[in-house]
Amino acid sequence: MLEVKGLVTAYGPIEVLHGIDLTVNEGEIVTLVGANGAGKTTLMRCISGVQPVRAGSIRFEDADLTRAPDHARAGLGIAHSPEGRQIFGDLEVEENLRLGAYHRTDDITADLQEVYELFPILRDKCLQPAGSLSGGQQQMLAIGRAIMGKPKLMLLDEPSMGLAPVLVDQILEVITTLRDRGVTLLVVEQNAFAALSIADRGYVMETGKITLSGRARDLIADPRVREAYLGA
Ligand code: ATP
């Protein structure tokens, strides 16, 4: 479904991704793990089109997205829930959710209900300014807004960041529910064990390169991964 090949990008003169190869097949949950600064967020930003690509290619289904603008990618079925959430604090919760569907012309009522079913707290607070939500609730809102795009592929950057353990479990459950409903997911997580335990496959990134990849269960068992990322 998604094929990234030889991807290179830079911030000004500083190259931060040095030739990334990664694929995501339809129906999979794929997890990307790696230390701070490895380039995970930058890779997600390249796939969603907010970070320009210097070399290499990004294909999604039959389309070459390498130089496509970000709104074109939303139209093709890619939604990005960015690190740091980037919700609109002055707008109501429901207004934020509706913004996730900005490129759609069909009826979004059922999708709004789906988000409220997955995250009932958002229904309770639907008329409140999004800025008044707790950190965990804002994280749910960012994921809910991505769901409103009715994506085929969701890019989730640190969905469990800063959340209490009970909320982490809730988010992981939502991710598997979305997969069961036919969404494909690429997930960046600091919480490597939790993310790999719900994933089909995983990639490990170090300083702008993929250093390991494979089935999630094999990565969890790999001594290099256990030592570096799973605290073993
Ligand atoms: P984190 O988990 O801390 O977000 P990451 O693996 O997502 O880490 P990136 O945020 O993609 O890593 O950062 C990769 C490299 O690019 C780092 O060296 C970082 O300092 C640098 N970088 C990130 N954003 C910018 C920017 N806007 N301008 C310049 N350098 C940047």
Side-chain angles (χ1 to χ4, degrees), residues 44-210:
M44 297 291 250
R45 286 164 51 82
C46 287
I47 298 169
S48 71
V50 289
Q51 167 70 21
V53 169
R54 193 159 278 189
S57 64
I58 301 171
R59 289 194 71 81
F60 179 68
E61 298 187 315
D62 292 328
D64 180 357
L65 291 190
T66 314
R67 318 236 172 261
D70 54 350
H71 56 84
R73 299 175 204 223
L76 288 170
I78 299 179
H80 185 198
S81 172
E83 191 183 26
R85 306 185 190 110
Q86 298 174 13
I87 60 158
F88 297 96
D90 294 337
L91 297 184
E92 290 168 4
V93 166
E94 187 159 313
E95 288 172 329
N96 270 273
L97 289 174
R98 288 181 183 280
L99 278 174
Y102 74 94
H103 60 282
R104 295 176 52 187
T105 50
D106 56 331
D107 185 8
I108 62 168
T109 317
D111 304 284
L112 205 48
Q113 292 316 313
E114 182 185 6
V115 172
Y116 288 150
E117 175 213 320
L118 291 170
F119 300 115
I121 189 75
L122 297 183
R123 187 198 304 271
D124 299 344
K125 305 209 168 207
C126 66
L127 298 179
Q128 294 192 15
S132 70
L133 299 182
S134 71
Q137 292 160 359
Q138 291 189 18
Q139 194 66 275
M140 293 175 194
L141 178 56
I143 296 170
R145 191 175 58 186
I147 293 171
M148 290 301 293
K150 215 176 180 47
K152 297 178 195 166
L153 172 67
M154 276 180 81
L155 310 172
L156 299 181
D157 199 346
E158 303 278 5
S160 78
M161 186 163 56
L163 300 190
V166 58
L167 289 181
V168 173
D169 290 345
Q170 193 187 341
I171 298 276
L172 294 174
E173 221 176 286
V174 165
I175 292 172
T176 42
T177 301
L178 289 169
R179 193 266 308 273
D180 294 345
R181 292 180 183 174
V183 182
T184 304
L185 294 112
L186 177 60
V187 183
V188 165
E189 259 296 339
Q190 285 292 323
N191 198 339
F193 182 77
L196 284 171
S197 59
I198 60 157
D200 300 291
R201 289 189 303 115
Y203 289 84
V204 177
M205 261 183 101
E206 284 170 33
T207 55
K209 294 191 181 123
I210 302 287

